[in-house]
Amino acid sequence: AGIKGCNIIIDDSPNVCGVIVFLPLKGNWDELYSDYLNLKDKLSTKYGSPSNTTETFEGGEYGLGNNEKMAKLKNGNCKYSVQFDTTVGYILLEISSLSMVKLTYIDGIGWKNLKKEGIEDL
């Protein structure tokens, strides 16, 4: 998506069912929110309207400054996430409490196979 310095995590099991991308760490809410909105816009253009969206600060965000928003994020009192369903799985975009934007790709078939293997192991 044209963003440099990302960390990519790929499950190394035989059936890869997901990939997680962490965008570079940000020091303030405005930069985090800008990354989030940029990717949300690109994903919406490609996949259409999200299937699920949660964008809230506990107690509301009216009057909150940058520092207060970051404090709420780090304390778990902020939830910004959006999910896009695709024909082959889903994509979850969120602002992480680690002060970075996180993008998760889940492959539907790989996920079903992983769950099936787990059930068979019981």
Side-chain angles (χ1 to χ4, degrees), residues 99-111:
S99 301
M100 58 185 72
V101 172
K102 177 182 173 186
L103 185 61
T104 305
Y105 296 91
I106 299 295
D107 173 68
I109 294 172
W111 183 253

Side-chain angles (χ1 to χ4, degrees), residues 29 54-61 64 68-80 95-97:
W29 176 258
T54 303
E55 298 175 338
T56 62
F57 283 93
E58 188 175 297
E61 67 177 291
L64 293 178
E68 291 90 0
K69 288 179 180 179
M70 288 299 284
K72 283 191 177 255
L73 176 67
K74 290 178 181 180
N75 291 329
N77 298 321
C78 168
K79 175 80 172 156
Y80 267 69
I95 298 178
S96 164
S97 62

Side-chain angles (χ1 to χ4, degrees), residues 15-17 87-90 106-117:
N15 296 320
V16 174
C17 64
T87 57
V88 295
Y90 69 90
I106 299 295
D107 173 68
I109 294 172
W111 183 253
K112 285 178 187 174
N113 288 340
L114 184 66
K115 282 177 58 177
K116 183 180 176 184
E117 289 172 13

Side-chain angles (χ1 to χ4, degrees), residues 36-97:
Y36 175 84
L37 284 181
N38 178 34
L39 283 177
K40 181 180 173 184
D41 181 57
K42 288 178 181 179
L43 291 166
S44 295
T45 299
K46 184 169 183 175
Y47 297 106
S49 297
S51 60
N52 190 11
T53 302
T54 303
E55 298 175 338
T56 62
F57 283 93
E58 188 175 297
E61 67 177 291
Y62 180 75
L64 293 178
N66 211 336
N67 291 336
E68 291 90 0
K69 288 179 180 179
M70 288 299 284
K72 283 191 177 255
L73 176 67
K74 290 178 181 180
N75 291 329
N77 298 321
C78 168
K79 175 80 172 156
Y80 267 69
S81 68
V82 62
Q83 180 176 321
F84 295 88
D85 294 334
T86 73
T87 57
V88 295
Y90 69 90
I91 300 167
L92 179 64
L93 174 68
E94 59 191 316
I95 298 178
S96 164
S97 62

